[in-house]
Amino acid sequence: DDGITIQDLDPANADMRYRYVTPNDFVSLGFALKDSSILYMDSGHVARYDLRLGHRLAISSQLTHPSEDAWDLHVTTGGAVLSAGGRLTRWDPATDQVSYLEVIQGVERSAINLYHILAYDKEIWISTGIGLVKYNDTDRSFILYSSSQTGKQHIPTGHVHSTYIDKDGIFWMATADAGLVRWDRTSGNSEVFNSSHGLPDDVVYGILQDQKGYLWLSTDNGISRFHPATHTAVNYGSKDGLSELEFNRTSFHKGRSGMFYFGSVNGVYYFDPEDFWNDSSQNDIPLQVVGLSQDMSSRGKVLDIYEQFLKDPSILLKPFDRFFSLQFQLLDYDEHRPSYAYMVEGYDADWNY
């Protein structure tokens, strides 16, 4: 709320230089990059800051209340500026005309909150507090995808902080209620990945993908690197140098140099994801079986077969043998909380967590 600050980073020596662009003005929480300029909401006006000239200019009339939140800005292919807050504000710079667009009529704007605008294949997708919204700028219409919807408009979340669409057209949603959601819009299939699958928290804010395909997630409990193919996560917290574990909505960015930036409630963290590609924390640590018992219905008892298992690591269930009990331990003394999964090959289609 105290203006925009530009941080110039010199990668050679990690020196940071600060430029205070709009001190003491009420500005948007998000901005859009266009050519060599930054577009943002400044006390209800669309403003432009020229990075080369260091010049600031208000380029629109008064569009919104000076203190109205603007979580994100987006410039359409037609040149219109979209501002996301409790509603979608559309400003046409050619005519200086403004339109106020309600996603759902009659719903209190503070209950909706439009966080993140994403353009993909001539479509505009908006992450909101009521789900994922597809916006058509031609007829100014909205289609809501949410847990409150049915059929092809149903997704397993009702609160999306941000959305990332990969090269295969798969939607990945950072949510406030379901962790990380994978959605195949073509088939309608979706998957949920949360703390029970190894993520550090069920609240996810931002998603950035590195050159190896890993998804980096900012959460309410640190940063996580998620593998989209294996569905495994490596988590980074206080032991890895994060002094603040709670991150923030819309505060994430991938720089032209490949550097990642994630904003927390107490500062901005930046790093090169390539530095973590050979991270030893991704190495698998084998499970150690420490106990095994099996129901032997034919003999009317439950037998301890652990010693037998050590000689022949296989389990044979005969007809009417109802169950077996397996005990194991993970020789990992790290601070993170591991998650476990099992799968019976030939029976289960996927891992059970």
Side-chain angles (χ1 to χ4, degrees):
D1 294 350
D2 293 327
I4 287 181
T5 301
I6 297 177
Q7 300 179 352
D8 296 315
L9 172 65
D10 184 352
N13 53 24
D15 286 345
M16 191 77 76
R17 184 168 60 90
Y18 299 90
R19 282 185 282 166
Y20 297 95
V21 177
T22 57
N24 301 321
D25 287 332
F26 194 100
V27 303
S28 60
L29 302 168
F31 58 88
L33 293 173
K34 183 174 176 57
D35 301 324
S36 61
S37 298
I38 296 175
L39 294 179
Y40 59 95
M41 292 295 292
D42 185 345
S43 302
H45 301 264
V46 176
R48 182 180 69 230
Y49 181 84
D50 191 306
L51 294 169
R52 292 176 301 182
L53 302 177
H55 181 69
R56 167 179 168 265
L57 176 68
I59 58 175
S60 79
S61 57
Q62 186 82 35
L63 303 182
T64 66
H65 189 277
S67 61
E68 182 172 327
D69 286 340
W71 288 98
D72 199 8
L73 265 74
H74 173 74
V75 181
T76 69
T77 54
V81 178
L82 303 176
S83 172
R87 58 186 174 181
L88 189 67
T89 301
R90 183 186 188 276
W91 174 64
D92 186 342
T95 62
D96 199 29
Q97 291 185 340
V98 61
S99 302
Y100 304 105
L101 309 173
E102 303 289 348
V103 176
I104 297 181
Q105 298 294 331
V107 177
E108 180 66 28
R109 284 187 289 161
S110 61
I112 296 178
N113 276 333
L114 313 182
Y115 299 120
H116 179 240
I117 304 175
L118 175 67
Y120 174 77
D121 194 23
K122 300 181 180 180
E123 298 175 334
I124 296 177
W125 295 86
I126 307 174
S127 302
T128 81
I130 56 174
L132 183 65
V133 171
K134 180 181 176 182
Y135 168 67
N136 187 323
D137 194 52
T138 301
D139 60 11
R140 318 288 167 81
S141 63
F142 299 90
I143 299 177
L144 174 64
Y145 298 81
S146 176
S147 56
S148 63
Q149 303 297 94
T150 59
K152 293 185 177 181
Q153 291 175 231
H154 178 82
I155 57 175
T157 177
H159 197 142
V160 182
H161 285 140
S162 63
T163 303
Y164 173 74
I165 305 176
D166 66 24
K167 61 181 178 61
D168 297 319
I170 300 298
F171 286 62
W172 297 89
M173 288 170 269
T175 78
D177 57 359
L180 177 67
V181 172
R182 179 189 186 275
W183 178 48
D184 186 334
R185 181 169 54 138
T186 302
S187 66
N189 295 330
S190 59
E191 294 179 89
V192 172
F193 305 100
N194 50 37
S195 55
S196 65
H197 301 86
L199 296 188
D201 201 88
D202 291 344
V203 178
V204 181
Y205 293 116
I207 305 173
L208 297 175
Q209 187 170 39
D210 65 24
Q211 291 184 351
K212 282 203 171 183
Y214 291 111
L215 299 179
W216 291 80
L217 316 173
S218 57
T219 78
D220 251 353
N221 190 28
I223 292 175
S224 181
R225 185 186 64 192
F226 181 80
H227 196 303
T230 63
H231 301 166
T232 56
V234 176
N235 302 322
Y236 301 90
S238 55
K239 64 184 178 62
D240 303 295
L242 298 181
S243 59
E244 176 59 62
L245 299 182
E246 182 180 349
F247 285 79
N248 220 333
R249 292 167 288 188
T250 74
S251 188
F252 56 97
H253 176 69
K254 181 178 181 179
R256 294 177 180 176
S257 65
M259 295 288 285
F260 283 3
Y261 301 83
F262 287 105
S264 73
V265 297
N266 190 31
V268 177
Y269 294 92
Y270 65 92
F271 59 91
D272 187 341
E274 290 189 21
D275 294 339
F276 298 85
W277 285 350
N278 295 320
D279 191 345
S280 60
S281 60
Q282 66 182 308
N283 295 336
D284 291 332
I285 301 175
L287 291 173
Q288 302 291 325
V289 177
V290 296
L292 177 61
S293 58
Q294 182 175 339
D295 172 63
M296 303 287 190
S297 296
S298 58
R299 300 170 62 175
K301 59 178 66 176
V302 177
L303 298 180
D304 184 341
I305 60 171
Y306 178 61
E307 295 297 331
Q308 176 184 333
F309 177 81
L310 292 179
K311 299 176 182 178
D312 179 16
S314 63
I315 302 173
L316 176 63
L317 291 177
K318 296 181 179 180
F320 305 109
D321 290 347
R322 296 175 298 173
F323 64 88
F324 66 90
S325 176
L326 186 68
Q327 294 178 310
F328 58 88
Q329 62 184 8
L330 181 66
L331 300 180
D332 181 6
Y333 300 98
D334 207 341
E335 296 178 3
H336 73 279
R337 182 182 65 183
S339 60
Y340 301 95
Y342 70 91
M343 180 173 65
V344 179
E345 293 183 353
Y347 179 79
D348 291 322
D350 203 352
W351 290 96
N352 299 286
Y353 288 87

